[in-house]
PDB file of all heavy atoms in Angstrom:
ATOM      1  N   GLN A 973     -11.641 -35.119  74.115  1.00 44.00           N
ATOM      2  CA  GLN A 973     -12.566 -36.245  74.756  1.00 44.00           C
ATOM      3  C   GLN A 973     -13.815 -36.385  74.096  1.00 44.00           C
ATOM      4  O   GLN A 973     -14.224 -37.569  73.916  1.00 44.00           O
ATOM      5  CB  GLN A 973     -12.680 -35.951  76.250  1.00 44.00           C
ATOM      6  CG  GLN A 973     -11.430 -36.258  77.067  1.00 44.00           C
ATOM      7  CD  GLN A 973     -11.567 -35.734  78.527  1.00 44.00           C
ATOM      8  OE1 GLN A 973     -12.335 -34.825  78.790  1.00 44.00           O
ATOM      9  NE2 GLN A 973     -10.993 -36.387  79.577  1.00 44.00           N
ATOM     10  N   GLY A 990       3.932 -58.016  74.170  1.00 79.00           N
ATOM     11  CA  GLY A 990       4.728 -58.748  73.363  1.00 79.00           C
ATOM     12  C   GLY A 990       4.770 -58.264  71.994  1.00 79.00           C
ATOM     13  O   GLY A 990       4.472 -56.984  71.664  1.00 79.00           O
ATOM     14  N   GLY A1017      -4.032 -64.727  64.102  1.00 73.00           N
ATOM     15  CA  GLY A1017      -4.371 -64.449  65.455  1.00 73.00           C
ATOM     16  C   GLY A1017      -3.315 -63.933  66.357  1.00 73.00           C
ATOM     17  O   GLY A1017      -3.455 -64.209  67.600  1.00 73.00           O
ATOM     18  N   ASN A1043      -6.111 -34.690  51.759  1.00 87.00           N
ATOM     19  CA  ASN A1043      -5.519 -34.354  53.089  1.00 87.00           C
ATOM     20  C   ASN A1043      -4.280 -33.562  52.878  1.00 87.00           C
ATOM     21  O   ASN A1043      -3.228 -33.817  53.525  1.00 87.00           O
ATOM     22  CB  ASN A1043      -5.081 -35.762  53.881  1.00 87.00           C
ATOM     23  CG  ASN A1043      -6.217 -36.598  54.005  1.00 87.00           C
ATOM     24  OD1 ASN A1043      -7.532 -36.176  54.394  1.00 87.00           O
ATOM     25  ND2 ASN A1043      -6.111 -37.995  53.920  1.00 87.00           N
ATOM     26  N   ASP A1054      -2.122 -30.277  43.382  1.00 80.00           N
ATOM     27  CA  ASP A1054      -1.777 -29.167  42.501  1.00 80.00           C
ATOM     28  C   ASP A1054      -2.653 -28.037  42.640  1.00 80.00           C
ATOM     29  O   ASP A1054      -2.312 -26.891  42.574  1.00 80.00           O
ATOM     30  CB  ASP A1054      -1.878 -29.692  41.055  1.00 80.00           C
ATOM     31  CG  ASP A1054      -0.687 -30.754  40.795  1.00 80.00           C
ATOM     32  OD1 ASP A1054       0.358 -30.717  41.455  1.00 80.00           O
ATOM     33  OD2 ASP A1054      -0.835 -31.506  39.847  1.00 80.00           O
ATOM     34  N   GLY A1063      -1.695 -16.577  46.445  1.00 80.00           N
ATOM     35  CA  GLY A1063      -1.756 -15.796  47.587  1.00 80.00           C
ATOM     36  C   GLY A1063      -3.191 -15.883  48.185  1.00 80.00           C
ATOM     37  O   GLY A1063      -3.640 -15.044  48.975  1.00 80.00           O
ATOM     38  N   GLY A1089      -8.264 -44.258  41.818  1.00 86.00           N
ATOM     39  CA  GLY A1089      -9.325 -43.282  41.542  1.00 86.00           C
ATOM     40  C   GLY A1089      -9.516 -43.205  40.028  1.00 86.00           C
ATOM     41  O   GLY A1089      -8.742 -43.895  39.230  1.00 86.00           O
ATOM     42  N   ILE A1093     -14.368 -39.244  32.036  1.00 69.00           N
ATOM     43  CA  ILE A1093     -13.967 -38.806  30.570  1.00 69.00           C
ATOM     44  C   ILE A1093     -15.094 -37.971  30.007  1.00 69.00           C
ATOM     45  O   ILE A1093     -14.833 -36.932  29.354  1.00 69.00           O
ATOM     46  CB  ILE A1093     -13.760 -39.970  29.617  1.00 69.00           C
ATOM     47  CG1 ILE A1093     -12.418 -40.810  30.308  1.00 69.00           C
ATOM     48  CG2 ILE A1093     -13.366 -39.443  28.254  1.00 69.00           C
ATOM     49  CD1 ILE A1093     -11.149 -40.028  30.328  1.00 69.00           C
ATOM     50  N   LEU A1109      -5.844 -44.365  47.532  1.00 90.00           N
ATOM     51  CA  LEU A1109      -4.514 -43.792  47.627  1.00 90.00           C
ATOM     52  C   LEU A1109      -4.636 -42.254  48.041  1.00 90.00           C
ATOM     53  O   LEU A1109      -3.922 -41.769  48.842  1.00 90.00           O
ATOM     54  CB  LEU A1109      -3.730 -43.766  46.316  1.00 90.00           C
ATOM     55  CG  LEU A1109      -3.190 -45.169  45.900  1.00 90.00           C
ATOM     56  CD1 LEU A1109      -2.441 -45.076  44.644  1.00 90.00           C
ATOM     57  CD2 LEU A1109      -2.389 -45.874  47.035  1.00 90.00           C
ATOM     58  N   ASP A1135       5.035 -48.340  43.975  1.00 82.00           N
ATOM     59  CA  ASP A1135       5.356 -47.166  43.167  1.00 82.00           C
ATOM     60  C   ASP A1135       4.899 -45.879  43.830  1.00 82.00           C
ATOM     61  O   ASP A1135       5.652 -44.840  43.855  1.00 82.00           O
ATOM     62  CB  ASP A1135       4.850 -47.273  41.722  1.00 82.00           C
ATOM     63  CG  ASP A1135       5.601 -48.342  40.966  1.00 82.00           C
ATOM     64  OD1 ASP A1135       6.766 -48.703  41.355  1.00 82.00           O
ATOM     65  OD2 ASP A1135       5.163 -48.749  39.920  1.00 82.00           O
ATOM     66  N   THR A1143      -0.499 -40.957  39.941  1.00 85.00           N
ATOM     67  CA  THR A1143      -0.890 -40.387  38.626  1.00 85.00           C
ATOM     68  C   THR A1143      -1.874 -41.330  38.004  1.00 85.00           C
ATOM     69  O   THR A1143      -1.714 -42.467  37.809  1.00 85.00           O
ATOM     70  CB  THR A1143       0.320 -40.141  37.756  1.00 85.00           C
ATOM     71  OG1 THR A1143       1.267 -39.388  38.478  1.00 85.00           O
ATOM     72  CG2 THR A1143      -0.029 -39.422  36.504  1.00 85.00           C
ATOM     73  N   GLY A1148      -5.635 -39.569  27.304  1.00 73.00           N
ATOM     74  CA  GLY A1148      -4.761 -38.368  27.095  1.00 73.00           C
ATOM     75  C   GLY A1148      -5.012 -37.357  28.279  1.00 73.00           C
ATOM     76  O   GLY A1148      -4.368 -36.261  28.360  1.00 73.00           O
ATOM     77  N   PRO A1154      -0.757 -35.922  45.736  1.00 88.00           N
ATOM     78  CA  PRO A1154       0.196 -36.633  46.654  1.00 88.00           C
ATOM     79  C   PRO A1154      -0.329 -37.930  47.253  1.00 88.00           C
ATOM     80  O   PRO A1154      -1.469 -37.918  47.523  1.00 88.00           O
ATOM     81  CB  PRO A1154       0.338 -35.516  47.741  1.00 88.00           C
ATOM     82  CG  PRO A1154      -0.793 -34.594  47.591  1.00 88.00           C
ATOM     83  CD  PRO A1154      -1.319 -34.773  46.089  1.00 88.00           C
ATOM     84  N   VAL A1158       2.316 -44.573  54.995  1.00 88.00           N
ATOM     85  CA  VAL A1158       3.133 -45.708  55.487  1.00 88.00           C
ATOM     86  C   VAL A1158       2.402 -46.823  55.045  1.00 88.00           C
ATOM     87  O   VAL A1158       1.252 -47.180  55.367  1.00 88.00           O
ATOM     88  CB  VAL A1158       3.298 -45.690  57.005  1.00 88.00           C
ATOM     89  CG1 VAL A1158       3.860 -46.914  57.491  1.00 88.00           C
ATOM     90  CG2 VAL A1158       3.997 -44.381  57.473  1.00 88.00           C
ATOM     91  N   PRO A1165       2.902 -66.855  56.168  1.00 75.00           N
ATOM     92  CA  PRO A1165       3.712 -67.539  55.320  1.00 75.00           C
ATOM     93  C   PRO A1165       3.200 -68.724  54.690  1.00 75.00           C
ATOM     94  O   PRO A1165       3.548 -69.223  53.625  1.00 75.00           O
ATOM     95  CB  PRO A1165       4.904 -67.949  56.259  1.00 75.00           C
ATOM     96  CG  PRO A1165       4.672 -67.002  57.342  1.00 75.00           C
ATOM     97  CD  PRO A1165       3.392 -66.717  57.516  1.00 75.00           C
ATOM     98  N   GLY A1168       1.820 -68.488  51.079  1.00 69.00           N
ATOM     99  CA  GLY A1168       2.609 -68.142  49.994  1.00 69.00           C
ATOM    100  C   GLY A1168       3.478 -66.942  50.319  1.00 69.00           C
ATOM    101  O   GLY A1168       3.066 -66.018  50.955  1.00 69.00           O
ATOM    102  N   LEU A1175       9.093 -57.921  47.850  1.00 78.00           N
ATOM    103  CA  LEU A1175       9.562 -57.944  49.130  1.00 78.00           C
ATOM    104  C   LEU A1175      10.645 -56.930  49.348  1.00 78.00           C
ATOM    105  O   LEU A1175      10.628 -56.282  50.451  1.00 78.00           O
ATOM    106  CB  LEU A1175       9.997 -59.416  49.526  1.00 78.00           C
ATOM    107  CG  LEU A1175      10.024 -59.857  50.941  1.00 78.00           C
ATOM    108  CD1 LEU A1175       8.650 -59.655  51.469  1.00 78.00           C
ATOM    109  CD2 LEU A1175      10.363 -61.343  51.082  1.00 78.00           C
ATOM    110  N   VAL A1194      -2.069 -65.850  79.179  1.00 89.00           N
ATOM    111  CA  VAL A1194      -3.247 -65.475  80.197  1.00 89.00           C
ATOM    112  C   VAL A1194      -3.386 -63.935  80.252  1.00 89.00           C
ATOM    113  O   VAL A1194      -4.425 -63.444  80.273  1.00 89.00           O
ATOM    114  CB  VAL A1194      -2.834 -66.140  81.537  1.00 89.00           C
ATOM    115  CG1 VAL A1194      -3.874 -65.616  82.628  1.00 89.00           C
ATOM    116  CG2 VAL A1194      -2.885 -67.569  81.507  1.00 89.00           C
ATOM    117  N   GLN A1195      -2.228 -63.203  80.241  1.00 86.00           N
ATOM    118  CA  GLN A1195      -2.316 -61.784  80.434  1.00 86.00           C
ATOM    119  C   GLN A1195      -3.019 -61.124  79.256  1.00 86.00           C
ATOM    120  O   GLN A1195      -3.842 -60.255  79.355  1.00 86.00           O
ATOM    121  CB  GLN A1195      -0.948 -61.148  80.604  1.00 86.00           C
ATOM    122  CG  GLN A1195      -0.782 -59.695  80.942  1.00 86.00           C
ATOM    123  CD  GLN A1195       0.591 -59.185  80.847  1.00 86.00           C
ATOM    124  OE1 GLN A1195       1.624 -59.847  80.879  1.00 86.00           O
ATOM    125  NE2 GLN A1195       0.720 -57.865  80.748  1.00 86.00           N
ATOM    126  N   PRO A1207     -14.745 -51.028  77.479  1.00 88.00           N
ATOM    127  CA  PRO A1207     -13.796 -50.310  76.601  1.00 88.00           C
ATOM    128  C   PRO A1207     -13.351 -48.971  77.214  1.00 88.00           C
ATOM    129  O   PRO A1207     -12.188 -48.601  77.322  1.00 88.00           O
ATOM    130  CB  PRO A1207     -14.380 -50.155  75.309  1.00 88.00           C
ATOM    131  CG  PRO A1207     -15.431 -51.216  75.243  1.00 88.00           C
ATOM    132  CD  PRO A1207     -15.985 -51.337  76.589  1.00 88.00           C
ATOM    133  N   TYR A1214      -5.280 -46.554  80.444  1.00 89.00           N
ATOM    134  CA  TYR A1214      -4.035 -46.479  79.625  1.00 89.00           C
ATOM    135  C   TYR A1214      -3.828 -45.052  79.029  1.00 89.00           C
ATOM    136  O   TYR A1214      -2.922 -44.845  78.268  1.00 89.00           O
ATOM    137  CB  TYR A1214      -4.007 -47.554  78.583  1.00 89.00           C
ATOM    138  CG  TYR A1214      -3.657 -48.916  79.010  1.00 89.00           C
ATOM    139  CD1 TYR A1214      -4.618 -49.819  79.481  1.00 89.00           C
ATOM    140  CD2 TYR A1214      -2.324 -49.308  79.118  1.00 89.00           C
ATOM    141  CE1 TYR A1214      -4.331 -51.010  79.911  1.00 89.00           C
ATOM    142  CE2 TYR A1214      -1.865 -50.603  79.607  1.00 89.00           C
ATOM    143  CZ  TYR A1214      -2.879 -51.373  80.022  1.00 89.00           C
ATOM    144  OH  TYR A1214      -2.642 -52.617  80.415  1.00 89.00           O
ATOM    145  N   GLN A1217      -0.308 -43.530  79.607  1.00 92.00           N
ATOM    146  CA  GLN A1217       0.802 -44.132  78.872  1.00 92.00           C
ATOM    147  C   GLN A1217       0.596 -43.755  77.380  1.00 92.00           C
ATOM    148  O   GLN A1217       1.599 -43.556  76.655  1.00 92.00           O
ATOM    149  CB  GLN A1217       0.724 -45.601  79.063  1.00 92.00           C
ATOM    150  CG  GLN A1217       1.249 -46.031  80.286  1.00 92.00           C
ATOM    151  CD  GLN A1217       0.764 -47.449  80.651  1.00 92.00           C
ATOM    152  OE1 GLN A1217      -0.192 -47.742  81.358  1.00 92.00           O
ATOM    153  NE2 GLN A1217       1.532 -48.428  80.163  1.00 92.00           N
ATOM    154  N   SER A1250      27.161 -55.869  52.118  1.00 94.00           N
ATOM    155  CA  SER A1250      28.095 -56.402  51.050  1.00 94.00           C
ATOM    156  C   SER A1250      28.257 -57.788  51.353  1.00 94.00           C
ATOM    157  O   SER A1250      28.317 -58.722  50.517  1.00 94.00           O
ATOM    158  CB  SER A1250      29.319 -55.558  51.018  1.00 94.00           C
ATOM    159  OG  SER A1250      30.212 -56.036  50.125  1.00 94.00           O
ATOM    160  N   ALA A1267      17.876 -46.721  62.035  1.00 96.00           N
ATOM    161  CA  ALA A1267      18.807 -46.499  63.169  1.00 96.00           C
ATOM    162  C   ALA A1267      18.669 -44.986  63.735  1.00 96.00           C
ATOM    163  O   ALA A1267      18.617 -44.838  64.906  1.00 96.00           O
ATOM    164  CB  ALA A1267      20.227 -46.721  62.844  1.00 96.00           C
ATOM    165  N   ARG A1297      19.320 -63.514  49.639  1.00 77.00           N
ATOM    166  CA  ARG A1297      18.837 -64.460  48.608  1.00 77.00           C
ATOM    167  C   ARG A1297      18.571 -65.790  49.294  1.00 77.00           C
ATOM    168  O   ARG A1297      19.259 -66.276  50.168  1.00 77.00           O
ATOM    169  CB  ARG A1297      20.012 -64.642  47.546  1.00 77.00           C
ATOM    170  CG  ARG A1297      20.267 -63.477  46.816  1.00 77.00           C
ATOM    171  CD  ARG A1297      21.426 -63.663  45.834  1.00 77.00           C
ATOM    172  NE  ARG A1297      21.630 -62.388  45.040  1.00 77.00           N
ATOM    173  CZ  ARG A1297      22.579 -62.264  44.247  1.00 77.00           C
ATOM    174  NH1 ARG A1297      23.395 -63.259  43.950  1.00 77.00           N
ATOM    175  NH2 ARG A1297      22.787 -61.077  43.528  1.00 77.00           N
ATOM    176  N   ASP A1299      18.059 -69.801  49.868  1.00 62.00           N
ATOM    177  CA  ASP A1299      18.605 -70.948  49.416  1.00 62.00           C
ATOM    178  C   ASP A1299      17.670 -72.029  49.937  1.00 62.00           C
ATOM    179  O   ASP A1299      17.554 -72.222  51.296  1.00 62.00           O
ATOM    180  CB  ASP A1299      19.989 -71.135  49.933  1.00 62.00           C
ATOM    181  CG  ASP A1299      20.710 -72.468  49.519  1.00 62.00           C
ATOM    182  OD1 ASP A1299      19.897 -73.377  48.984  1.00 62.00           O
ATOM    183  OD2 ASP A1299      21.817 -72.734  49.794  1.00 62.00           O
ATOM    184  N   LYS A1329      20.511 -70.519  69.775  1.00 47.00           N
ATOM    185  CA  LYS A1329      19.438 -71.114  69.154  1.00 47.00           C
ATOM    186  C   LYS A1329      19.573 -71.301  67.581  1.00 47.00           C
ATOM    187  O   LYS A1329      18.755 -71.625  67.033  1.00 47.00           O
ATOM    188  CB  LYS A1329      18.147 -70.325  69.628  1.00 47.00           C
ATOM    189  CG  LYS A1329      17.920 -70.508  71.056  1.00 47.00           C
ATOM    190  CD  LYS A1329      16.499 -69.954  71.316  1.00 47.00           C
ATOM    191  CE  LYS A1329      16.187 -69.984  72.823  1.00 47.00           C
ATOM    192  NZ  LYS A1329      14.924 -69.340  73.117  1.00 47.00           N
ATOM    193  N   THR A1332      16.633 -69.409  65.657  1.00 40.00           N
ATOM    194  CA  THR A1332      15.268 -69.696  65.967  1.00 40.00           C
ATOM    195  C   THR A1332      14.721 -68.408  66.562  1.00 40.00           C
ATOM    196  O   THR A1332      13.491 -68.191  66.667  1.00 40.00           O
ATOM    197  CB  THR A1332      14.983 -70.767  66.893  1.00 40.00           C
ATOM    198  OG1 THR A1332      15.677 -70.636  68.045  1.00 40.00           O
ATOM    199  CG2 THR A1332      15.252 -72.167  66.364  1.00 40.00           C
TER     200      THR A1332
END
Side-chain angles (χ1 to χ4, degrees):
Q973 281 173 332
N1043 304 322
D1054 290 339
I1093 300 295
L1109 292 182
D1135 285 342
T1143 305
V1158 175
L1175 204 50
V1194 169
Q1195 188 185 342
Y1214 282 92
Q1217 286 167 263
S1250 179
R1297 291 180 183 177
D1299 180 351
K1329 295 189 181 180
T1332 55

